[in-house]
Amino acid sequence: MIIPRLLSVATAVPRHRLRQGEALAHARRIFEERAPAFARLAPVYGNAGVETRYLSVPLDWFGKPRSWKEANAIYLGTAEKLLAEAAGRALERAGLDPGDVDTLVTVSSTGIATPSLDARLLRRVGFRDDVKRVPLFGFGCAGGVLGLGRAAQLAAAREGETVLLVVVELCSLTFRWRDTGKSNQVATALFGDGAAAAVLRGGGRGTCVKAWGEHTWPDSLDVMGWSVEEDGFGVIFSPQIPEIVRTGMRAETDRFLASHGLGLPDITRFACHPGGAKVAAALEEAYGLPEGGLETSRAVLRDYGNMSAATVLFVLDRMLDAGVQGETVLLQALGPGFTTGFVVLEG
């Protein structure tokens, strides 16, 4: 049996830094007169658990309606740049060159790219012409964990197989000026932009990727996702998400861990996608952690906001920097489906 190993993780963000107070003031200018419910919804900015985040465009860009075509053009250019930056850092940390990569797994759900983002990266980064490309779309916030699991499965297929996972989500570009609904306000209070990359190899040395898996709840297609609107992606956030986490996450986690000969007491670190403050609190309750126990997850949410699929890799990057030798780490994230993804690492 070939054991997939995690060699490195790296991250990248765009240059436009936004403080939460600035986001609230700008949202008030846009929505206060047009949305009667804005005064009632405005506290979400203070309760989101976010202090700063990074945007692909200056804040003023959001001050008027934008077309999906315009936003997607920015998505393509910014995504390619951030992916190249994150990939370069991850490969450098692993002591590898782009030509060493055998398989390239690309995760993104916040824009449309055909040819896919991985094809656009080939020349820019210097990957081989015969690199195997696996673009993944539609995983949403779960994409970082599910993508890591897919990458580990591919690395385990052959001794020495080198797999590069790259993830980019430019959530801010899905903002819809005309949408005065609650979900758009929640997204505006939470969403930031970022990219991450991870290098895996079949066999050898490195952090062991011990297990990966997922669970999709039945009859849950309307819990999280996108609706396709005239001006872009409309965000779908069900208010049921924290309750699903509180009542259903522990049982599914126990089932996944048991299938790999593990139990929750074996987990010494939790690298969870925080989602938002309410989801982080629900995860802490489900896993029997003290309030604020997902310290690293909450810190990433505070400093970067919710970057969808990339977020959990930012959490993992911080944990790896702090050291995970001798630790058993559970990565977990939720996404459309409604699905939870799991990965277990052993340091």
Side-chain angles (χ1 to χ4, degrees), residues 139 141-142 217 224 241 245 249 273 279 332-336 338-340:
F139 283 155
C141 291
W217 280 272
M224 182 187 291
I241 293 172
V245 172
M249 182 59 70
H273 188 309
V279 174
Q332 179 276 331
L334 292 159
F338 180 59
T339 298
T340 182

Side-chain angles (χ1 to χ4, degrees), residues 217 239-252 277-288 334 338:
W217 280 272
Q240 298 175 337
I241 293 172
E243 184 61 21
I244 293 172
V245 172
R246 274 192 295 270
T247 60
M249 182 59 70
R250 178 63 183 266
E252 298 310 329
K278 289 184 179 181
V279 174
L283 285 167
E284 288 164 351
E285 183 178 337
Y287 290 145
L334 292 159
F338 180 59

Side-chain angles (χ1 to χ4, degrees), residues 203-346:
R205 296 182 178 181
T207 301
C208 171
V209 186
K210 182 177 178 63
W212 52 91
E214 60 203 83
H215 171 77
T216 300
W217 280 272
D219 303 318
S220 62
L221 295 179
D222 59 348
V223 173
M224 182 187 291
W226 296 129
S227 62
V228 178
E229 309 296 341
E230 292 291 338
D231 54 350
F233 291 133
V235 65
I236 299 172
F237 282 150
S238 169
Q240 298 175 337
I241 293 172
E243 184 61 21
I244 293 172
V245 172
R246 274 192 295 270
T247 60
M249 182 59 70
R250 178 63 183 266
E252 298 310 329
T253 304
D254 286 342
R255 188 174 293 115
F256 161 72
L257 291 174
S259 70
H260 295 281
L262 297 167
L264 204 65
D266 296 310
I267 304 301
T268 58
R269 301 284 293 276
F270 291 85
C272 297
H273 188 309
K278 289 184 179 181
V279 174
L283 285 167
E284 288 164 351
E285 183 178 337
Y287 290 145
L289 301 172
E291 185 178 352
L294 291 175
E295 181 180 357
T296 306
S297 298
R298 287 180 177 271
V300 168
L301 179 66
R302 179 195 67 216
D303 296 342
Y304 296 98
N306 184 334
M307 300 168 287
S308 190
T311 310
V312 75
L313 295 178
F314 277 66
V315 176
L316 178 59
D317 186 41
R318 286 198 176 188
M319 285 191 175
L320 292 174
D321 282 347
V324 296
Q325 187 173 1
E327 303 267 16
T328 301
V329 181
L330 175 67
L331 281 77
Q332 179 276 331
L334 292 159
F338 180 59
T339 298
T340 182
F342 304 108
V343 169
V344 175
L345 303 178
E346 288 186 344

Side-chain angles (χ1 to χ4, degrees), residues 3 49 81 100 139 159 184 199 309 337:
I3 298 174
K81 177 181 181 296
D100 297 318
F139 283 155
E159 187 76 29
N184 193 41
V199 180

Side-chain angles (χ1 to χ4, degrees), residues 140-191:
C141 291
V145 173
L146 296 176
L148 188 62
R150 301 295 193 275
Q153 188 171 1
L154 292 166
R158 183 174 70 93
E159 187 76 29
E161 179 80 7
T162 299
V163 181
L164 176 64
L165 168 69
V166 291
V167 181
V168 64
E169 300 291 11
L170 307 183
C171 305
S172 73
L173 296 176
T174 66
F175 173 78
R176 295 171 54 239
W177 190 91
R178 295 182 178 88
D179 185 352
T180 59
K182 180 179 179 179
S183 289
N184 193 41
Q185 291 300 324
V186 173
T188 304
L190 283 172
F191 278 168

